Structures are given as C-alpha cells and as structure tokens.
Amino acid sequence: MENGQLLSETTLETTAGSSSKALNLLIDIKYLLKGKVLVANVLPVFTAYWLALYFSGERFVDNWGLFLITIIGSTLVISGALILNNWYEVDLDKKMVRTQKRPTVTGNFSLNTVLWSGIITSIIGLVMMLFTTLEAAVYSFLGWFVYVVLYTFWTKRKFTLNTIVGSVSGAFTPLIGWAAIAPANHTVPIVMFCILFIWQVPHTLAIAIKRLEDYTRAGVPMLPVVYGVDVTIRQNLIYIIALMLFPFFLIASLGWFFFIFAISLTIGWIILAMKGSRAKDVKKWAQSNLRYSLIYLILLSFVMIILTSPIMN
C-alpha cells in the first residue's frame, strides 16, 4: 500500500514537473515572440484578407485553404522578424526592466538557438507566402526587411526616426492580406497602410514615455530620451490628428457608418492625447494612451469586418 502510494505521488510529481516545464516553455516563446506585438501585426493581415474577399466578390469558404497559408505564412514571417530582433537586441534588453523576462536575457534559450530559429522561421514563412501570390510574398519580405535590417540593425540605436522606420514595417501587414486575394492597387488596402503607419507612431511614443527610464538606461535614442517628454507629447498629438484624414477616403467603400465611427474613435483619442501636457502623472497618461491605441486598432478592424460580413450584405 505504501509503495503504491509513493509510486502515485512520484507519478504526480513527475507529471506536475513536466506540465511546469511545458508552461515555462510556452511563456518563454510568448516573450520571444512579443505576444501582443505579434497579434497586433497579424490582425491587419486577417482584416485586409477578409475585405479583399468582399470587394473581389469571393467567398471565404471557397478560399479557406489560401486563408490558412496566408495567416500561417505571414505569422511565421512576422515571428521570424521578432525573434531576430530579440537576438540582436539582447544587450539592450538586459538593461531594460520590461524585457528582463525574455529568454535571451534569462538564458533559457541560447543565442545561437534564437538566431537559427529566427532565420528558419522567416524562410519557412516567406516560402509559404510564395504559395499565395508573388505580390503578397514581396510585401511580406519588405515588411521583414524593413523591421530586421533597417529598423533593428540600423536605425534603432542611432536615430530618433527609428520609430518611423519601424512603423513602415508594420504598415505592410494589410497589403499582405489583401494581395493574397487581389492586387493591392485598391483604395482600401492603401488607406489601411497609411492608417497602420500613422497609428504605430503614437502607439510607440506612448511606450517610450511609459518606459523612459528603460530606454535612457539602454541608450536607445527614442524621441522622449533625446528631445524630452513635452516634445513627444506634442508629436503624439499631431500624429493622432493626422488619422482624421483617412476615413474620408473610405466613405465610398465602407459607407457613412464606418466614417462616423472612425472619426468618433479618433476624436476620443485626440481628447486623451491633449490631456498629456497637463497630466500630473505622465506615465499613467502614457499607459492610457497605449491602451487606447490598442482599442482603436481592434475596434476599427472589427467594424471593417462586420460591415463586410454576409450578415450585413
């Protein structure tokens, strides 16, 4: 009886240990892939793919195979870029509180493993995208190249314009999704590109203000580090105001409801951004600005999808 009980307890401990290791591995992968960043980049791919089906008169059920290849392929390309970013920036991440849990910092993953994981993941993703359309594959490569080479390897450590360069990379995502179905020389994907480009700047500036000490300690020339928080708050407001322009170009495609919704959403963000110069706790304001930016992207994408869904047409 005692031997059976001991055996049972040992089995439970072994199972618990295995579950714990698996959970820790998943957590490490999440930090390596910058979970929220990955989702924020894949969402526009899906949204644009869905919209391209609608405007091309195609049905989702007839293109589900292409959908899987597009989503999996683009996710792998984006993941590969993020992994390579973590590999290259390990020296910076060691100096920043918000990146202390990344496996490249903790040593849970060796740098050599991370490097090859990034390379292989990128290659597999790009090859998969070639099975969609050449145009979608080209946009995937351009987004990867801008993020890894122009942003990570070149501008991030040297120029405050690194935020602009990084924003160009993320803006390619709707072009990828759309081009998998049809050529992206259409008003909707082009406007989505512009929105994603502008949106990423205040989103990133909010992070830079919130984590000012981190970036200062690491020596990364983010705008608030080089020119101060007040200048950054003004720049933040200017970019958000610029978002007011783009819904006008989508009236003919998505209708007046979308226009009113998008304008209202942007006005709400502008009101929040204007409070930055008077904020007693600028870090708390930056967190609110960051949260609103994510809500903006999610709601805008959600409304685009709903308005072009079969139940609405």
Side-chain angles (χ1 to χ4, degrees), residues 28 31-32 85-111 114:
D28 281 335
Y31 283 120
L32 186 66
N85 174 270
N86 273 340
W87 167 77
Y88 188 74
E89 293 184 354
V90 63
D91 58 324
L92 302 180
D93 290 343
K94 289 179 179 179
K95 301 174 183 177
M96 301 174 69
V97 174
R98 77 183 185 92
T99 55
Q100 291 297 303
K101 294 182 179 180
R102 290 179 181 171
T104 47
V105 176
T106 62
N108 291 345
F109 293 169
S110 72
L111 291 181
V114 172

Side-chain angles (χ1 to χ4, degrees), residues 47-278:
T47 303
Y49 182 92
W50 181 274
L51 293 174
L53 288 173
Y54 172 79
F55 287 102
S56 300
E58 297 282 346
R59 298 192 309 163
F60 182 83
V61 292
D62 296 329
N63 294 274
W64 66 269
L66 179 60
F67 168 75
L68 290 177
I69 295 173
T70 302
I71 294 299
I72 295 173
S74 60
T75 299
L76 289 174
V77 173
I78 296 166
S79 297
L82 294 171
I83 292 171
L84 291 171
N85 174 270
N86 273 340
W87 167 77
Y88 188 74
E89 293 184 354
V90 63
D91 58 324
L92 302 180
D93 290 343
K94 289 179 179 179
K95 301 174 183 177
M96 301 174 69
V97 174
R98 77 183 185 92
T99 55
Q100 291 297 303
K101 294 182 179 180
R102 290 179 181 171
T104 47
V105 176
T106 62
N108 291 345
F109 293 169
S110 72
L111 291 181
N112 193 52
T113 298
V114 172
L115 172 61
W116 281 106
S117 296
I119 293 172
I120 293 170
T121 302
S122 299
I123 292 173
I124 293 174
L126 289 169
V127 170
M128 286 189 69
M129 291 307 300
L130 285 172
F131 286 91
T132 60
T133 66
L134 179 59
E135 185 178 355
V138 169
Y139 292 141
S140 299
F141 173 76
L142 288 175
W144 180 93
F145 180 82
V146 172
Y147 186 79
V148 174
V149 179
L150 301 187
Y151 172 70
T152 300
F153 292 172
W154 181 36
T155 62
K156 184 168 183 178
R157 298 170 185 255
K158 296 181 179 180
F159 311 108
T160 57
L161 286 175
N162 60 27
T163 301
I164 304 299
V165 175
S167 297
V168 172
S169 173
F172 276 105
T173 51
L175 298 183
I176 295 170
W178 188 286
I181 294 295
N185 58 343
H186 188 284
T187 302
V188 174
I190 293 172
V191 172
M192 288 181 71
F193 175 93
C194 295
I195 290 175
L196 261 294
F197 168 68
I198 298 297
W199 170 84
Q200 286 174 95
V201 179
H203 173 79
T204 306
L205 293 181
I207 297 173
I209 294 175
K210 180 185 175 183
R211 300 293 185 178
L212 178 59
E213 289 79 9
D214 269 358
Y215 285 113
T216 301
R217 190 182 308 111
V220 181
M222 303 298 287
L223 192 63
V225 175
V226 178
Y227 293 103
V229 172
D230 290 340
V231 171
T232 306
I233 289 174
R234 290 196 294 271
Q235 290 287 321
N236 178 76
L237 178 59
I238 290 171
Y239 279 100
I240 296 171
I241 291 174
L243 287 171
M244 291 285 286
L245 173 66
F246 301 106
F248 286 92
F249 295 102
L250 295 176
I251 295 174
S253 301
L254 296 176
W256 284 99
F257 177 84
F258 174 81
F259 171 78
I260 295 170
F261 180 84
I263 290 294
S264 301
L265 202 58
T266 307
I267 290 174
W269 199 359
I270 290 172
I271 293 172
L272 175 60
M274 291 175 65
K275 295 178 180 179
S277 59
R278 305 187 304 274

